[in-house]
């Protein structure tokens, strides 16, 4: 029997892709909302059985405030956090706030579905390897942990970073071009370069990798670029590159 659930993530593309995949598996997805700031209010008003709450920064203070509010006002709702490989502090903060589970952003859909079913049944939905990794880090903390997000960010030019952020926000080539004031052909080229540098084969994979490593949060907000009007026929103008 399908689960009545909600998907809430900062990055619309990820939320909608996951919601679509879960619908195909027979679940009733009530909403795929983007802003985490309004997640609690939305979940409280719709009261699903399970809420999948995405975050790229599980260790930051206040990240799981929406979880705590949901559990306070709708204790029957099971919340499963979707996030990057967690630190011990991130795991502890999620469960302390009332989360029923923690699933990695890059988990296969079967693993996400198992977590949903466990959470609905009142069980803790967290993979044993995540707990082992968390305990291992507690026992043997790394002196200088590898910052994959920073490493990936340094591989991209500022313009490519902006393209990646727009891809993660669900913009297609036309919207990327309009938002950056460049030609669609130039936008396509930037997207292909981003995929090549990140070593992924699709926009969805690029968005997932960026979210998992926290790269998007490091990138900062998009610049406000006034759209460039399309060139008149015959002028051949292509806009700035």
């Amino acid at each position: 029997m399908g689960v009545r659930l909600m998907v809430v993530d900062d990055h619309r593309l990820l939320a909608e892709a996951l919601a679509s995949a879960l619908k195909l598996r027979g679940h009733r997805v009530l909403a795929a909302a983007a802003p985490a700031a309004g997640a609690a209010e939305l979940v409280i008003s719709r009261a699903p059985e399970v809420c999948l709450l995405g975050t790229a920064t599980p260790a930051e203070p206040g990240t799981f405030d929406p979880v705590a509010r949901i559990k306070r006002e709708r204790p029957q709702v099971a919340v499963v956090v979707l996030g990057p490989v967690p630190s011990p502090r991130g795991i502890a903060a999620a469960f302390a706030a009332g989360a029923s589970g923690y699933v990695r952003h890059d988990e296969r859909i079967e693993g996400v579905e198992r977590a949903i079913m466990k959470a609905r049944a009142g069980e803790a939905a967290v993979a044993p390897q995540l707990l082992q990794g968390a305990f291992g880090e507690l026992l043997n903390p790394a002196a200088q942990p590898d910052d994959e997000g920073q490493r990936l960010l340094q591989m991209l030019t500022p313009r490519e970073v902006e393209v990646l952020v727009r891809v993660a926000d669900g913009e297609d080539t036309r919207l990327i071009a309009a938002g950056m004031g460049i030609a669609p052909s130039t936008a396509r080229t930037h997207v292909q370069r981003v995929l090549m540098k990140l070593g992924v084969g699709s926009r969805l994979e690029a968005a997932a990798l960026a979210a998992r490593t926290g790269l998007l949060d490091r990138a900062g907000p998009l610049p406000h670029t006034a759209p460039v009007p399309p060139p008149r026929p015959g002028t051949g103008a292509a806009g700035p590159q």
Side-chain angles (χ1 to χ4, degrees):
M1 183 178 177
V3 179
R4 191 175 76 256
L5 59 92
M6 294 182 66
V7 179
V8 182
D9 196 288
D10 283 334
H11 308 297
R12 186 179 62 193
L13 182 63
L14 298 179
E16 292 180 351
L18 182 54
S20 297
L22 290 168
K23 285 179 181 178
L24 290 175
R25 300 179 76 86
H27 300 289
R28 181 187 172 194
V29 183
L30 299 181
E41 188 170 338
L42 187 59
V43 174
I44 290 167
S45 66
R46 302 298 294 273
E49 293 178 278
V50 179
C51 169
L52 296 174
L53 179 67
T55 179
T57 55
E60 287 192 1
T63 294
F64 300 114
D65 287 351
V67 179
R69 184 183 170 197
I70 292 168
K71 297 304 295 183
R72 184 170 60 250
E73 300 191 31
R74 293 283 188 180
Q76 74 276 20
V77 176
V79 181
V80 176
V81 175
L82 294 167
V85 178
S87 67
R89 183 169 54 179
I91 281 277
F95 281 91
S100 298
Y102 193 108
V103 180
R104 285 176 48 162
H105 266 140
D106 57 356
E107 177 63 78
R108 296 174 64 88
I109 189 64
E110 294 84 0
V112 176
E113 188 174 39
R114 281 194 298 271
I116 290 170
M117 303 306 290
K118 282 188 173 183
R120 185 176 69 167
E123 302 175 26
V126 58
Q129 58 267 33
L130 283 185
L131 288 178
Q132 291 169 2
F135 287 135
E137 185 177 333
L138 282 172
L139 295 172
N140 302 289
Q144 294 182 332
D146 178 37
D147 190 336
E148 186 180 2
Q150 182 63 31
R151 180 181 64 81
L152 293 176
L153 193 62
Q154 291 174 347
M155 294 170 54
L156 304 176
T157 67
R159 177 146 288 194
E160 288 167 350
V161 170
E162 180 178 351
V163 168
L164 178 58
V165 173
R166 292 181 181 277
V167 166
D169 282 343
E171 294 187 10
D172 58 18
T173 301
R174 179 182 59 83
L175 287 175
I176 293 173
M180 298 180 65
I182 58 178
S185 59
T186 304
R188 280 192 294 271
T189 299
H190 283 315
V191 170
Q192 290 304 313
R193 286 177 178 167
V194 168
L195 298 185
M196 181 182 66
K197 287 185 176 182
L198 295 182
V200 297
S202 70
R203 297 182 181 211
L204 182 57
E205 288 181 87
L209 176 63
R212 176 173 60 81
T213 60
L215 188 154
L216 295 174
D217 296 278
R218 292 179 178 274
L222 289 172
H224 295 286
T225 304
V228 176
R232 289 175 296 177
T235 62
Q241 305 297 308

